[in-house]
Amino acid sequence: EPGSTNARVADAARSYMGTSTARGPDGGNLACAWSVNNILSNAGLQKVGSNPNYVPSVEQALQGGRGTAIDAKDARPGDIVIWPNGHHIGIAMGNNQVANNSSSRASFTNLQQLPAGCRVYRLNS
C-alpha cells in the first residue's frame, strides 16, 4: 500500500541503489547494516539496533518488537532480510530479490535472489 512503512522503505532502498558505502564501517567492507539503517532513516524511520552497524544487534531489535518474523516466501518489498549466517542484511525488493551492500565494491549495488534459509522481518514501525 502506498505510504505504508514497507512502501516507504522499498522506495528509499530503490533511491539508495548505487550509493557508495565507503564512509561506512571498515571503509564499506562491513557496511551492510549501516546502509540498511541509512535507508530506514531516509524513509523517516528510527534506526534499528542498539548497535545499528552490527547485524546481530539489528536482528535482536527486530525480534524484540521492532519487527515481525515472516516466512521468506511471503517477503514483500521493504522487508528486512538477514542471511542464514546472521552477519549480512539487506532489503527485499520483490521478485524474490534482495538489495544489499557489496563489500568488494563498497557500494549498495547488489541485487540477488533471497538466500535459502534467510530470515525475513517486516518492520512494525
Side-chain angles (χ1 to χ4, degrees):
E1 325 78 82
S4 71
T5 297
N6 269 68
R8 292 193 349 241
V9 172
D11 284 345
R14 271 190 287 277
S15 302
Y16 203 77
M17 288 302 288
T19 300
S20 167
T21 55
R23 286 178 324 191
D26 194 26
N29 190 39
L30 298 173
C32 62
W34 179 84
S35 55
V36 164
N37 266 309
N38 284 345
I39 288 165
L40 297 183
S41 198
N42 292 348
L45 300 166
Q46 263 191 311
K47 293 187 175 186
V48 176
S50 56
N51 178 348
N53 297 339
Y54 185 56
V55 178
S57 174
V58 173
E59 186 165 27
Q60 198 174 15
L62 289 167
Q63 291 169 341
R66 282 299 301 279
T68 301
I70 59 163
D71 198 302
K73 69 174 171 18
D74 299 321
R76 290 209 307 252
D79 288 337
I80 308 289
V81 179
I82 296 182
W83 266 243
N85 68 9
H87 288 279
H88 194 61
I89 189 171
I91 294 180
M93 298 304 283
N95 298 325
N96 202 35
Q97 291 190 308
V98 55
N100 60 98
N101 182 57
S102 164
S103 297
S104 59
R105 290 196 291 265
S107 63
F108 196 82
T109 48
N110 284 352
L111 196 58
Q112 62 200 85
Q113 295 292 106
L114 286 180
C118 65
R119 297 183 291 283
V120 179
Y121 297 89
R122 188 156 295 154
L123 284 163
N124 294 329
S125 58

